């Protein structure tokens, strides 16, 4: 048998504008953290596609995100350098031989 406390108030709930996940009403954004990251990543991809000579520092500064976040996406293979930038600016290196790489580990 479950006891119900009539005095106890349930917290206000709001929902993510993208996926509908429940969030506390005091959560400051309209998107949950997962959807927020997904939308940011989509913006980053579009930004990278818009120019030819964009490197991780440009992305980090433009979106005001830590450079380690951009490098994480590169290591995961989600984004990669293109064109001449591929060999020049990569701070991601092969985990076996140490050569600069454009994506992955």
């Amino acid at each position: 048998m479950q006891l119900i406390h009539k005095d106890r108030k349930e917290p206000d709930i709001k929902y993510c504008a993208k996926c509908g996940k429940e969030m506390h009403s005091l959560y400051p954004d309209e998107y949950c953290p997962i959807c927020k990251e997904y939308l940011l990543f989509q913006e980053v991809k579009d930004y990278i596609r818009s120019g030819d000579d964009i490197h991780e520092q440009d992305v980090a500064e433009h979106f005001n995100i830590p450079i380690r976040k951009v490098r994480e996406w590169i290591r995961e293979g989600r984004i990669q350098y293109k064109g001449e930038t591929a060999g020049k600016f990569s701070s991601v290196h092969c985990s076996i031989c140490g050569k600069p790489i454009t994506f992955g580990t």
Side-chain angles (χ1 to χ4, degrees):
M1 184 156 122
Q2 185 178 9
L3 296 176
I4 300 174
H5 299 282
K6 293 186 179 194
D7 305 1
R8 194 168 125 191
K9 282 189 165 185
E10 292 298 318
D12 293 332
I13 295 174
K14 68 180 185 179
Y15 300 91
C16 173
K18 182 161 178 58
C19 71
K21 180 180 178 179
E22 288 184 359
M23 302 181 294
H24 193 280
S25 64
L26 297 178
Y27 184 74
D29 297 317
E30 65 178 307
Y31 299 107
C32 70
I34 294 169
C35 290
K36 214 168 128 179
E37 169 124 0
Y38 175 79
L39 293 170
L40 172 65
F41 180 72
Q42 294 304 317
E43 288 180 39
V44 167
K45 275 180 33 179
D46 291 342
Y47 177 73
I48 291 170
R49 288 180 181 151
S50 71
D52 287 331
D53 200 21
I54 297 173
H55 57 89
E56 60 199 22
Q57 188 65 37
D58 297 329
V59 173
E61 287 175 5
H62 182 80
F63 290 97
N64 196 26
I65 57 175
I67 199 163
R68 66 177 145 59
K69 182 57 140 173
V70 180
R71 289 177 182 160
E72 177 185 321
W73 287 335
I74 293 169
R75 276 192 300 277
E76 291 172 354
R78 295 175 70 189
I79 58 176
Q80 72 182 69
Y81 289 103
K82 63 181 180 178
E84 293 178 20
T85 305
K88 290 182 184 175
F89 297 109
S90 181
S91 62
V92 179
H93 296 83
C94 174
S95 60
I96 296 172
C97 70
K99 259 180 122 173
I101 55 176
T102 59
F103 71 99
T105 56

